[in-house]
Amino acid sequence: MAAPYEKAPHTASAYNNTFSNTDIEIQSPKAESSYFDEKDDAHDRNAPSFGRKTPTRKYSARWWKRTWDGAVRIGTWPRLIYCCIGFVLMILWLGVMLIFVGNEVKYEQQNARDTIQRHRTGDSNGESISGSILLKGTLVNFDAGKRSLSVSWSGLYKQDNYSTIVDLADPLEVNSTTYPDGIGIYRDVTATPYEYNYTYPELLENGTETTQTSKSWMYRVDNDTLKPVGVIGRHQWDSFDTEISFTQKYSKNVWSQPMLGYPFDKWQGQIVFVANDIWWARTDNVTNGDVFPLAGIQLADSTLNWRISYTFNNTCPSPTALDYEHGEAWPANCYLDIRFDAVRPPLVIFAAVTAVVVNWTCTLFIFILTSEAIIMRRGYMLEGTDILSMCFTALFALPTIRSLLPGAPDYGAIIDLCGVLPCTLIVALCTVCVAVAKLNKSKREGKTD
């Protein structure tokens, strides 16, 4: 057998002899190296190999395929790779959940902020009553079906601007205070200026003690027959419960409508409180009188799948700024106005959007497979029951994903019309098409036999 390379002749006659000899094949090294750079496998198969296998270019697609096939036969690196990928995905998911949880903790801390609007330093009778009375609301439950928020209220006390907020009537706290007859809390009413006769003792020059009566002003609940919804200040555990109705926050916006706009719906609620000193009201003989300003509120705890925030406004003037002999110039109303906002936390929004993306991804995948099998006439895809079983499984699995969403409302929200109903209909049609195609294929095969 002749060598693949022959030394080039040096004479013209030698050239003629060389080309006339068909047993000798001449090829330059440069021509052979060109075979190593070819990417097309068909061209490689047609190229002369001279008894040797043409090597594959390193880091090419073919090289990676051969390398990966060899690694799969051994099994060590592929297993290590997919274990690492699974571990990384798990860490990423836990990290995202921890971020959401940390965000909720910050939101709770914001609701428990120390915000004082009115600092009580005195009353109409000149008594030294220092400190501020606040309300502490503990979130119990938000019922989206009834559109109401359940809150349990108790009392807080702050002695001065330099002290911390403590529980009202706490016997173990030196900075707390107690009201023997309690503080009456009235809901959804206002207090108006009221003139009354103030009786006080007076010592005459001869040493005789007598009583004098003069006109004075105070704030009184505008409904003198109304009973308080709760009494606090006598014991540390005094509390009362309220149900606050919620409505749509933004009108003419379908995405923020309650329940329908899940998970982007936004709600709002409102409640008004008025507080009075029961002992002083009894002493002055004024029913529901001696109203004083509530300094503010704090919210504690959280509700599952909901984020509750608040703002408040105290319309009562500062007691030190009032002229108790000329109440005609007082503001017409005194109450604590509290407004609540309810939205879905980011975790719920993330879960809902992820579910919609997964639904559409699975639906498009099944639609493409069905189209390839029927429209593109890839009959081998209809063999067996694989594609039909997948369609049936997805037909029942997609609606189940919707039921797993946190805080999901009844069926009929926008997310159902955009991410559940169309996906279910498409998968159902694909299932019917695949079933009919398989029946026709079986019928044709039966006739052939």
Side-chain angles (χ1 to χ4, degrees), residues 60-354:
S60 63
R62 191 179 176 198
W63 181 86
W64 279 110
K65 183 178 182 303
R66 288 181 177 179
T67 304
W68 178 254
D69 291 341
V72 168
R73 285 192 294 270
I74 300 175
T76 302
W77 281 105
R79 289 190 181 96
L80 183 61
I81 290 175
Y82 71 67
C83 288
C84 291
I85 293 176
F87 182 75
V88 169
L89 292 177
M90 181 181 65
I91 294 298
L92 289 177
W93 181 264
L94 292 178
V96 171
M97 295 301 105
L98 290 177
I99 291 175
F100 286 137
V101 172
N103 186 264
E104 288 300 310
V105 172
K106 292 181 180 179
Y107 213 81
E108 291 183 25
Q109 293 175 350
Q110 182 180 358
N111 282 341
R113 62 188 182 272
D114 183 359
T115 304
I116 303 295
Q117 284 191 357
R118 296 290 182 271
H119 190 73
R120 191 181 184 193
T121 56
D123 67 345
S124 59
N125 299 311
E127 297 291 337
S128 177
I129 303 178
S130 62
S132 301
I133 305 298
L134 300 88
L135 290 179
K136 178 183 179 181
T138 302
L139 302 175
V140 178
N141 179 49
F142 183 76
D143 191 335
K146 297 180 179 179
R147 301 193 176 192
S148 65
L149 174 66
S150 301
V151 184
S152 179
W153 300 92
S154 58
L156 296 175
Y157 180 74
K158 186 172 183 179
Q159 188 176 29
D160 51 48
N161 293 330
Y162 305 100
S163 61
T164 59
I165 297 178
V166 297
D167 291 334
L168 184 62
D170 186 355
L172 302 179
E173 179 60 54
V174 294
N175 292 327
S176 184
T177 187
T178 302
Y179 286 76
D181 287 17
I183 298 173
I185 304 296
Y186 303 84
R187 174 183 176 175
D188 295 335
V189 293
T190 184
T192 56
Y194 176 76
E195 186 180 17
Y196 72 104
N197 294 322
Y198 169 50
T199 303
Y200 59 92
E202 183 178 1
L203 185 63
L204 301 178
E205 295 180 356
N206 58 7
T208 305
E209 184 176 343
T210 183
T211 57
Q212 297 291 334
T213 302
S214 64
K215 296 291 185 178
S216 185
W217 289 81
M218 68 167 66
Y219 274 108
R220 188 187 71 163
V221 178
D222 59 357
N223 186 354
D224 56 359
T225 62
L226 186 66
K227 300 297 181 181
V229 296
V231 177
I232 59 175
R234 293 179 297 185
H235 313 94
Q236 183 181 2
W237 55 83
D238 290 340
S239 64
F240 61 97
D241 299 329
T242 59
E243 294 287 337
I244 305 171
S245 299
F246 274 65
T247 58
Q248 180 180 353
K249 184 174 182 179
Y250 301 112
S251 60
K252 300 180 181 180
N253 186 355
V254 66
W255 292 101
S256 64
Q257 288 187 10
M259 309 292 285
L260 181 62
Y262 173 88
F264 306 104
D265 45 344
K266 295 178 175 58
W267 308 57
Q268 66 177 1
Q270 181 184 13
I271 193 170
V272 173
F273 285 127
V274 171
N276 80 317
D277 192 325
I278 297 178
W279 186 88
W280 275 111
R282 186 181 296 114
T283 302
D284 294 332
N285 197 25
V286 178
T287 304
N288 295 348
D290 283 279
V291 171
F292 64 89
L294 291 169
I297 71 167
Q298 284 187 356
L299 282 186
D301 215 329
S302 62
T303 53
L304 184 62
N305 301 326
W306 287 98
R307 172 175 286 183
I308 308 296
S309 60
Y310 73 92
T311 58
F312 69 91
N313 180 37
N314 196 330
T315 64
C316 301
S318 176
T320 57
L322 296 177
D323 183 0
Y324 292 96
E325 295 182 358
H326 302 85
E328 301 88 349
W330 288 11
N333 297 287
C334 174
Y335 56 86
L336 180 66
D337 182 14
I338 308 172
R339 298 180 182 268
F340 296 91
D341 291 332
V343 296
R344 309 279 180 172
L347 178 59
V348 174
I349 298 177
F350 172 77
V353 173
T354 302

Side-chain angles (χ1 to χ4, degrees), residues 354-387:
T354 302
V356 172
V357 172
V358 170
N359 273 5
W360 274 110
T361 302
C362 296
T363 301
L364 294 177
F365 180 75
I366 293 174
F367 177 77
I368 292 174
L369 288 182
T370 304
S371 301
E372 288 288 327
I374 299 176
I375 298 177
M376 303 304 294
R377 298 179 181 180
R378 302 185 186 275
Y380 66 90
M381 298 178 64
L382 297 175
E383 296 178 357
T385 59
D386 294 341
I387 186 171

